[in-house]
Amino acid sequence: MELFGKRILINIPVIEKPVIELSPAQEAEREKEAVKKWTELEIFAIGDEVEKVKVGDKVYVQAFGLESAEKIMIGEEMKLLVKEFDIAFKY
């Protein structure tokens, strides 16, 4: 697969559903942990014009970038397609 332009494919964090019912406090803690995963997203692939990041970098994508991101199946995994502009910073 070759990606073109200033496009970036991001791995979507996997958040498994609990097999037992959680208390409100446990559910809040689980949600807090899930948010951490969405603030450090790993780059899966980059387009041929991307300059600031590389594959494997952990990045923060702005909320509007995530909301407008296209979801794409690559093999059996879902990825997010964002623009380089949507990345605010890398870790």
Side-chain angles (χ1 to χ4, degrees):
M1 174 193 70
E2 187 176 355
L3 202 55
F4 299 107
K6 293 194 170 276
R7 294 174 182 88
I8 298 171
L9 279 175
I10 303 284
N11 290 321
I12 295 177
V14 176
I15 301 170
E16 296 179 18
K17 295 186 181 202
V19 293
I20 60 172
E21 190 172 326
L22 301 175
S23 71
Q26 290 171 319
E27 188 62 39
E29 184 61 33
R30 186 174 181 278
E31 189 174 308
K32 190 177 179 182
E33 288 300 314
V35 168
K36 285 182 187 175
K37 290 182 180 182
W38 280 92
T39 58
E40 292 183 30
L41 299 170
E42 183 180 359
I43 295 179
F44 175 76
I46 61 171
D48 58 351
E49 295 178 18
V50 174
E51 301 171 358
K52 305 272 184 194
V53 294
K54 62 185 184 307
V55 173
D57 280 352
K58 300 276 188 181
V59 296
Y60 174 79
V61 178
Q62 296 176 344
F64 67 82
L66 290 175
E67 291 170 4
S68 64
E70 187 174 344
K71 293 180 181 174
I72 300 174
M73 287 297 290
I74 305 289
E76 293 189 23
E77 294 183 1
M78 186 73 71
K79 308 292 181 192
L80 293 176
L81 182 65
V82 299
K83 299 175 193 97
E84 186 176 28
F85 175 79
D86 296 333
I87 294 177
F89 58 87
K90 67 179 180 177
Y91 292 91

